Amino acid sequence: MASYFDELHVEEDEMPTVRLERLTRETFRMLFDHDPARYGDIINFQNTPPASKSEIEKLKAPSFEELIDEQCRICLSQYQLNDKALNMPCNHIFHENCLKTWLEKSNFCPLCKFELKTDNEMYELYKQELKNRQSREDNIAQLHDSMFS
Amino acid sequence: MNNIATQRIKREFKEVIKSEELAKCSIKVDLIGDSYTELKGEIAGPPDTPYEGGTFFLEIKVPETYPFNPPKVRFMTKIWHPNISSVTGAICLDILKDQWAAAMTLRTVLLSLQALMAAAEPDDPQDAVVAKQYKEYPEIFAKTASHWTNVYAGGPNKNSEFDTKIQRLIDMGIERDQARGALSTYNWDLERATEQLFS
């Protein structure tokens, strides 16, 4: 195992999440080397992919009361009467146009980074793998704690 | 220029940038002329770092697609830091790239840069030479960064040992900034810096 980590240049003291993310990315890169056709546009995740259109359509408009004296944190202007707004699943509200423009290039809430699903299979696979690795790490940590504390 | 970007910057000026909190954190944004596309940022070096006492100026370019894309930011004041190019002032910071979010503001950016100055991330370097020195010779790094702060950002710590070495190279016909760069790169080893400059 040591050589595996050496090969990936993982530093001992890297933050667990940073390390996991790097390892996952490296694994994907290796998959790509192994089978470029299948793992075609291995994503360098320079930018996250846009949110899926169907996910955006599911977003609901907030009630009028929720907009009173509030401000859209994308354009920084106060909501006016008749402004169209949308509610993210994390309950953050933005102007409909502001949010849609943002979700055309990114899949997360501009305020809290809550992620909407994307149509990019590679990215979804990558996210799933990241989650799996995280829960494995958590389980190991828990096991370790239960054994030694 | 796109209206949204201009409106957004104007609102930021009204509501966020002029707040007293900013003065407390010693960060500042100024307009250059009437245009809202080019701005000048200013960050005071954070306390208890080699940058303390220095004032660092930033070039901020606001793209037409702001706030959906991040502003382009670069250090105009020369600085010795693992995540900032000692040559061009280019910055490696995630929120200026893939971690940008439309609710962030110029204030967020400047505060993040101030935090970056206080806590470098040498594993994600912009300047490999500086990052290597930061990891392998932290004391030399701190002295070098402090020296650069003194020379370029008006910091208080004069280093006469470094100045003497730079003068030696100047006497050999090397330009001052080039001499400082070479010596900083070779951990102030005069012999190696000379060798490199004349090879």
Side-chain angles (χ1 to χ4, degrees):
Chain A
M1 213 51 186
S3 65
Y4 172 70
F5 286 109
D6 288 347
E7 201 178 306
L8 298 180
H9 310 294
V10 175
E11 303 278 336
E12 292 264 335
D13 52 357
E14 262 183 83
M15 296 278 291
T17 44
V18 175
R19 199 182 71 227
L20 268 181
E21 224 179 285
R22 276 182 36 141
L23 280 174
T24 314
R25 272 185 210 211
E26 293 295 345
T27 313
F28 269 66
R29 217 156 280 150
M30 279 194 256
L31 285 173
F32 173 65
D33 290 341
H34 172 71
D35 187 355
R38 177 145 181 234
Y39 294 95
D41 63 326
I42 180 67
I43 334 155
N44 205 359
F45 307 135
Q46 208 39 348
N47 287 304
T48 56
S52 154
K53 289 230 157 54
S54 60
E55 289 282 307
I56 297 175
E57 266 157 36
K58 279 190 223 157
L59 299 177
K60 300 262 188 319
S63 68
F64 174 69
E65 285 76 27
E66 286 178 271
L67 299 181
I68 297 173
D69 287 339
E70 292 294 332
Q71 167 200 52
C72 169
R73 293 287 297 274
I74 293 179
C75 68
L76 296 184
S77 59
Q78 292 237 330
Y79 294 109
Q80 308 290 321
L81 202 66
N82 298 330
D83 274 6
K84 281 189 173 171
L86 285 177
N87 213 335
M88 283 285 283
C90 49
N91 250 331
H92 289 121
I93 299 168
F94 307 93
H95 277 124
E96 179 175 329
N97 282 341
C98 294
L99 184 62
K100 281 188 169 168
T101 309
W102 171 248
L103 291 177
E104 270 168 29
K105 68 175 282 278
S106 296
N107 71 325
F108 56 85
C109 169
L111 269 179
C112 71
K113 303 241 158 140
F114 173 90
E115 290 197 56
L116 292 180
K117 274 221 171 56
T118 73
D119 289 328
N120 187 320
E121 272 177 49
M122 273 315 260
Y123 182 73
E124 293 301 317
L125 221 60
Y126 162 78
K127 244 174 46 185
Q128 191 55 46
E129 176 64 17
L130 198 61
K131 227 191 248 169
N132 293 347
R133 284 180 192 234
Q134 185 68 58
S135 76
R136 247 177 279 153
E137 290 251 313
D138 291 349
N139 287 344
I140 292 172
Q142 250 178 29
L143 188 66
H144 184 274
D145 286 351
S146 67
M147 281 163 77
F148 296 105
S149 64
Chain B
M1 180 181 167
N2 183 308
N3 238 338
I4 297 184
T6 312
Q7 293 302 330
R8 172 59 138 71
I9 294 289
K10 281 184 182 164
R11 291 208 177 91
E12 283 190 44
F13 263 92
K14 231 194 259 163
E15 297 174 21
V16 208
I17 293 172
K18 294 251 158 97
S19 71
E20 281 183 20
E21 181 206 11
L22 284 205
K24 243 187 274 166
C25 300
S26 353
I27 57 178
K28 217 170 114 184
V29 185
D30 285 319
L31 293 172
I32 300 181
D34 298 334
S35 119
Y36 281 85
T37 53
E38 286 204 30
L39 308 155
K40 195 168 91 176
E42 195 180 316
I43 302 178
D48 302 319
T49 70
Y51 312 106
E52 183 170 13
T55 305
F56 297 84
F57 292 100
L58 302 153
E59 173 190 275
I60 303 173
K61 288 188 174 167
V62 181
E64 282 190 20
T65 49
Y66 185 79
F68 302 105
N69 285 304
K72 293 187 170 58
V73 186
R74 184 179 76 82
F75 272 82
M76 293 196 303
T77 306
K78 282 170 87 65
I79 180 170
W80 191 252
H81 184 288
N83 304 105
I84 302 158
S85 165
S86 58
V87 182
T88 65
I91 302 164
C92 179
L93 179 66
D94 56 1
I95 65 157
L96 291 176
K97 296 173 186 161
D98 56 330
Q99 292 301 309
W100 171 256
M104 290 176 177
T105 61
L106 296 178
R107 169 180 170 274
T108 328
V109 170
L110 292 195
L111 288 177
S112 301
L113 283 173
Q114 205 173 34
L116 184 70
M117 288 166 82
E121 294 180 29
D123 290 324
D124 190 16
Q126 176 77 38
D127 195 309
V129 171
V130 183
K132 194 163 180 283
Q133 184 182 75
Y134 180 92
K135 285 172 129 179
E136 292 175 5
Y137 307 101
E139 276 172 28
I140 296 182
F141 164 79
K143 277 190 191 164
T144 309
S146 178
H147 169 67
W148 280 51
T149 304
N150 167 244
V151 174
Y152 298 114
N157 301 320
K158 240 181 121 51
N159 188 319
S160 47
E161 183 202 334
F162 288 176
D163 286 339
T164 310
K165 286 183 176 174
I166 291 168
Q167 193 53 51
R168 290 279 297 278
L169 286 177
I170 293 173
D171 293 343
M172 291 185 236
I174 303 292
E175 194 256 330
R176 185 180 297 271
D177 279 348
Q178 198 189 359
R180 181 174 295 112
L183 284 162
S184 301
T185 298
Y186 290 100
N187 302 321
W188 299 93
D189 182 332
L190 187 57
E191 215 167 291
R192 285 186 60 203
T194 313
E195 213 172 89
Q196 191 267 336
L197 285 168
F198 288 99
S199 68

